[in-house]
Amino acid sequence: MRRDIGGTVVALTIVALLGDFAMADGTTPAGKVFTICVPEIYWKECKEMIEDSAVKGIPISCISGRDRYACIEKVGKKQADVVAVDPEDMYLAAKNNALASSAGYSVVEQVRTKEEPEAIYRYEAVAVIHKDLDISNVQGLRGLKSCHTGVGRNVGYKIPITKLTAMGVLQNVHDPHYSARENELRAFSSLFSKGCLVGTWSPDPAINRRLKETYSNMCALCEKPEICDYPDIYSGYEGALRCLAHNGGDVAWTKVIYVKRFFGLPVGVTPAVPTSENPDEFRYFCPDGSKVPIDAKTKPCTWAARPWQGYMTNGEAAEGGNVGALQQELTDLGKLGEEEKADWWKDIMLLDKKTVAVAAPPILPEDHLKNSKYLDVIERNSGAVGKIARWCVWTESALDKCRSFGRAAFSRDVRPKLECAKLGTDQDSCLNALKEGKTDLVVLEGGSVLRAIRDFHVAPIVAESYGTGSTKLSERPAVAVVKKSSSINALADLRGKRSCHSGYKDSFAGWTAPIHVLKEKGLINSEDEAANFFAGSCAPGAPTNSKLCQQCVGSLAAGDDRVRDATKCSPTAAETFRGGAGAIACLTADKGDVAFLSLTALSQIDEDKKEKNEELDVGRQGGSKSTDFELLCPQGGRAPIDEWSRCNLGIEPPRVIVSSADKDANALEELTHGTLAASTLYSKRPDLLNLFGAWGGVVNSLFKDDAQGLVSVDKSWDKWNEWQNTQQAYGTA
């Protein structure tokens, strides 16, 4: 295990920078310098923010956290003063039993829209009906035709489900035989005669298809009922109203601001813009069964509201006159970011051209959620009451990651709730627990699945995915890569050359596969001889004083020799040459003559090149394209990249999540849906939770660091025997 120095990189960099910053008149900023915590992937923006703010005399400091989840904890532990958060993050802070009482969390500034800077909430959920609809209470909704913004969305889905369940209108949302999502869809389908509820009902294509076929009446009012997905003119905030006004709907669930726009009423500071729609023909339908006119004067009756995003601090930072000073700095930073159109303005401050940072009376995060009637929306628990998905792990790092994953996923609408336990010290301990019904989910290496099926009666349900360069079953070829201009033509030619490895002993493509092939070819007798076979190497994670770290460079982007020394050969992203992209960067920077990595990393080069890259002179891939390289084949000779099937060092199976084959189909489907729903969110938003990345300095914890997401396993997955053979041959068990 290695200490996590990824966050230290940013902290040290910023401390070094601060030493050079001064006010415009040459003096050092007086008073407290507040420290904002930012997700690690935004460290460059953090540096830019400090540089920009120093010029304007705004004294602000930064520290990085692994992700926003870690930043919330850092603020709670007084290691940072403030972090930008969503309402769901406020929930995590409020429910952190270990920190909440001592942290003294409070929301001191809010991200509001310029259109409604005085509004108490970000938006308010309303139900809109035809004025002559014969309805006098919420029970009267039964049998109506309902128009929704989309599945899983707040005002059109989560809020009506939460509130109607509490009112006893939706009565069948806790059937233990169905998943939480299916319980909700069943409830809607039973309550309403028809509806339009577009979107991806499940990230698993087969489950998504089955659900839409089973509850097809909830697609009947859509523009394309057979597809029931975006884009659809009867979906979204305005689309729900269009469905109501022009497609036979009886009730639409949307938010106030869009009702006003749809009917040509003024919105905040924006004057009325006339439309062809007549508000006199419609009414707000209230939770108490009453009806309210839709006009510029009457206050809408709402079902719940989504609180504004904001900036959360701790009790220490909020003491005395600090609150006012902190609010002023945040406001000033917001204005500065807008002037500069800076990336940090969006990524760190959560602002854009339509929003502004507004000081607000400090409020406890839980109170902020309760006041908007949003707390129960986050906590709603459809499906069997108290149902949990138990996850078994056998290392402390995986346990910590799994528990954080579970808490974060619950706040973001993933059900059933995920709970994690360390039930032993090895894989078989968890497999035994699964066989005995003491747990529900275990992550295995792909090569271990066949034995687990045979000896522990497991059912594989989900596997890692890696994107371009992997096979349809998520396998990743391990390859040896050289520049086209290289004279190397055989593995034997590598003796005395320099090597770049995507990783060390925990890396199949970066270490296990090349070492296996070098031994197989008789070029080395043991793994220990690898260091001397090459003239020098960069194998991140190897002992720092060995030849295997000689070619590593640490965090080049830090621009500080102390940071580079501290991060050299780190197994985390702090090392510039770590991972597949890092191995290519090592090769293109002429720090190595061969790179060992997975084909997926090589395939990413052309895609990554399209994105803005400011990683310093070397860059992550030096501006290269995949056609600049060729594969070095184990049998001799070289091959183009697309001929990897005949020129690779081995095929690595993915990690696979298994459950018990004794569970019925609905139970396995629920676990599949929940796991995919959570992973889909965090694969897109690693700033919220770095699910696929090093954790506490430990690489490949729970999942492989370079996984891009998860996919469902079906009957076409048939390589369990082949994967077991690979595991045994390469010694990766």
Side-chain angles (χ1 to χ4, degrees):
M1 183 181 293
R2 295 283 296 262
R3 63 192 181 93
D4 186 0
I5 51 183
T8 306
V9 175
V10 181
L12 287 173
T13 303
I14 300 310
V15 168
L17 285 167
L18 280 172
D20 297 330
F21 288 162
M23 300 284 278
D25 62 1
T27 63
T28 302
K32 180 175 176 62
V33 177
F34 294 103
T35 300
I36 188 168
C37 186
V38 303
E40 200 164 57
I41 63 171
Y42 297 140
W43 77 266
K44 284 188 293 186
E45 285 90 335
C46 173
K47 176 181 175 181
E48 291 164 1
M49 181 177 73
I50 289 187
E51 292 172 339
D52 292 344
S53 62
V55 174
K56 297 291 185 179
I58 306 172
I60 192 78
S61 174
C62 278
I63 188 172
S64 76
R66 177 195 61 244
D67 43 41
R68 196 183 293 175
Y69 186 100
C71 277
I72 293 168
E73 292 193 334
K74 284 180 180 287
V75 169
K77 294 175 181 178
K78 316 298 195 300
Q79 296 169 353
D81 297 313
V82 65
V83 57
V85 290
D86 296 330
E88 290 76 13
D89 303 311
M90 299 174 196
Y91 177 82
L92 288 174
K95 298 300 179 180
N96 188 325
N97 296 329
L99 273 179
S101 58
S102 61
Y105 289 117
S106 64
V107 180
V108 297
E109 183 120 347
Q110 297 174 9
V111 175
R112 296 184 179 177
T113 61
K114 294 175 181 177
E115 192 170 41
E116 296 185 295
E118 301 300 321
I120 300 174
Y121 306 116
R122 179 179 174 184
Y123 54 74
E124 297 174 285
V126 291
V128 180
I129 59 174
H130 296 275
K131 71 170 184 178
D132 297 325
L133 184 67
D134 184 15
I135 185 172
S136 59
N137 55 54
V138 292
Q139 296 295 338
L141 292 169
R142 189 165 302 280
L144 298 185
K145 291 171 285 185
S146 186
C147 304
H148 302 260
T149 53
V151 73
R153 295 176 66 167
N154 279 308
V155 298
Y157 184 85
K158 292 194 287 188
I159 288 174
I161 283 175
T162 303
K163 304 305 178 180
L164 292 175
T165 299
M167 294 173 177
V169 181
L170 293 179
Q171 299 176 331
N172 54 344
V173 296
H174 299 302
D175 191 321
H177 295 98
Y178 299 96
S179 68
R181 172 54 59 84
E182 185 161 3
N183 268 300
E184 293 171 347
L185 294 169
R186 287 174 69 245
F188 268 157
S189 180
S190 298
L191 177 64
F192 300 116
S193 60
K194 292 182 179 180
C196 180
L197 180 66
V198 306
T200 302
W201 288 13
S202 173
D204 179 287
I207 298 174
N208 182 61
R209 185 167 52 252
R210 182 187 68 76
L211 291 174
K212 287 184 178 179
E213 290 172 353
T214 305
Y215 309 106
S216 59
N217 66 313
M218 290 308 298
C219 295
L221 291 184
C222 296
E223 178 189 10
K224 300 172 183 175
E226 70 283 0
I227 298 175
C228 200
D229 206 346
Y230 304 102
D232 192 295
I233 62 172
Y234 299 124
S235 69
Y237 301 119
E238 184 177 327
L241 290 165
R242 195 178 294 116
C243 168
L244 171 71
H246 305 294
N247 203 39
D250 296 315
V251 58
W253 306 89
T254 186
K255 62 184 184 182
V256 171
I257 191 171
Y258 275 85
V259 175
K260 293 179 178 179
R261 288 175 182 166
F262 188 77
F263 291 113
L265 302 174
V267 178
V269 298
T270 304
V273 178
T275 71
S276 60
E277 307 295 341
N278 183 6
D280 294 337
E281 295 297 318
F282 299 88
R283 296 289 185 268
Y284 290 113
F285 177 62
C286 308
D288 63 4
S290 62
K291 303 172 185 177
V292 172
I294 298 175
D295 56 41
K297 299 177 182 178
T298 308
K299 179 177 173 57
C301 58
T302 63
W303 290 66
R306 180 165 174 78
W308 295 110
Q309 295 169 292
Y311 306 103
M312 191 167 63
T313 188
N314 54 50
E316 185 177 286
E319 288 178 354
N322 283 342
V323 168
L326 177 57
Q327 290 173 329
Q328 187 61 57
E329 288 202 7
L330 291 168
T331 300
D332 290 345
L333 282 171
K335 293 177 181 177
L336 174 62
E338 183 166 20
E339 291 173 6
E340 300 290 335
K341 297 295 185 288
D343 288 340
W344 57 261
W345 176 56
K346 172 176 64 73
D347 295 333
I348 296 176
M349 303 292 291
L350 308 184
L351 294 167
D352 59 36
K353 63 183 180 180
K354 295 182 179 180
T355 57
V356 62
V358 177
I363 186 171
L364 298 177
E366 186 163 358
D367 290 344
H368 191 51
L369 299 174
K370 285 180 177 177
N371 290 349
S372 61
K373 297 183 285 187
Y374 195 71
L375 183 66
D376 61 339
V377 176
I378 292 179
E379 291 186 329
R380 86 180 196 286
N381 196 10
S382 307
V385 177
K387 181 184 282 189
I388 59 173
R390 301 164 298 173
W391 203 307
C392 183
V393 298
W394 53 90
T395 68
E396 288 298 327
S397 173
L399 179 63
D400 184 58
K401 187 175 194 176
C402 185
R403 285 176 171 170
S404 298
F405 177 34
R407 295 186 192 108
F410 182 82
S411 76
R412 301 263 174 188
D413 204 33
V414 173
R415 302 293 185 273
K417 188 175 185 179
L418 175 63
E419 290 192 357
C420 309
K422 183 171 176 280
L423 301 178
T425 57
D426 57 21
Q427 174 180 284
D428 279 11
S429 302
C430 282
L431 288 173
N432 274 315
L434 190 62
K435 187 176 183 180
E436 295 169 3
K438 296 177 181 178
T439 193
D440 301 302
L441 297 164
V442 181
V443 184
L444 305 177
E445 298 292 345
S448 299
V449 174
L450 181 63
R451 173 176 168 265
I453 292 173
R454 183 185 65 234
D455 296 348
F456 298 94
H457 199 47
V458 309
I461 58 171
V462 171
E464 294 175 332
S465 62
Y466 303 96
T468 306
S470 59
T471 70
K472 65 178 182 178
L473 298 189
S474 291
E475 302 158 299
R476 289 182 297 165
V479 293
V481 178
V482 295
K483 295 177 183 176
K484 270 190 174 178
S485 58
S486 173
S487 61
I488 296 171
N489 205 48
L491 290 178
D493 296 339
L494 296 178
R495 188 180 298 276
K497 299 296 193 297
R498 302 161 302 164
S499 61
C500 305
H501 305 255
S502 58
Y504 188 43
K505 292 188 177 183
D506 46 57
S507 172
F508 181 88
W511 187 260
T512 305
I515 296 304
H516 171 81
V517 173
L518 288 175
K519 288 194 293 183
E520 190 177 57
K521 297 298 181 183
L523 297 174
I524 59 174
N525 295 313
S526 70
E527 182 180 43
D528 295 335
E529 293 181 10
N532 289 325
F533 177 79
F534 297 108
S537 305
C538 178
T544 54
N545 58 352
S546 71
K547 284 181 65 179
L548 294 174
C549 287
Q550 182 176 299
Q551 301 302 106
C552 293
V553 292
S555 177
L556 284 180
D560 186 292
D561 289 342
R562 293 170 298 170
V563 176
R564 293 178 183 178
D565 289 343
T567 55
K568 185 173 182 178
C569 211
S570 164
T572 71
E575 166 58 60
T576 301
F577 292 160
R578 187 253 176 176
I584 290 293
C586 171
L587 183 63
T588 56
D590 199 30
K591 286 285 188 173
D593 303 297
V594 62
F596 298 106
L597 64 154
S598 69
L599 184 69
T600 52
L602 191 59
S603 300
Q604 281 290 318
I605 291 178
D606 297 330
E607 294 180 32
D608 291 347
K609 191 179 178 186
K610 299 174 185 176
E611 300 177 5
K612 186 178 180 181
N613 190 338
E614 299 175 352
E615 183 74 24
L616 296 179
D617 298 337
V618 173
R620 290 294 280 164
Q621 290 136 6
S624 302
K625 51 186 182 294
S626 60
T627 52
D628 294 337
F629 307 100
E630 288 187 328
L631 305 180
L632 186 62
C633 304
Q635 66 272 25
R638 293 177 7 189
I641 304 299
D642 59 4
E643 294 184 20
W644 60 265
S645 59
R646 70 171 180 86
C647 185
N648 66 75
L649 309 182
I651 307 293
E652 180 183 15
R655 284 185 179 174
V656 178
I657 300 175
V658 300
S659 188
S660 171
D662 293 328
K663 293 183 181 294
D664 63 31
N666 281 348
L668 291 175
E669 185 178 280
E670 178 174 33
L671 292 169
T672 301
H673 171 86
T675 303
L676 291 178
S679 66
T680 299
L681 168 64
Y682 295 120
S683 63
K684 295 176 181 176
R685 294 293 306 276
D687 58 311
L688 298 178
L689 186 80
N690 191 23
L691 186 61
F692 304 110
W695 194 271
V698 179
V699 297
N700 299 323
S701 180
L702 197 63
F703 301 113
K704 293 289 182 66
D705 290 355
D706 45 4
Q708 293 188 8
L710 301 178
V711 294
S712 53
V713 170
D714 57 33
K715 293 181 180 178
S716 69
W717 291 60
D718 58 359
K719 291 197 172 183
W720 312 118
N721 188 70
E722 186 176 322
W723 291 354
Q724 178 175 271
N725 292 338
T726 297
Q727 185 181 73
Q728 292 171 348
Y730 284 74
T732 57

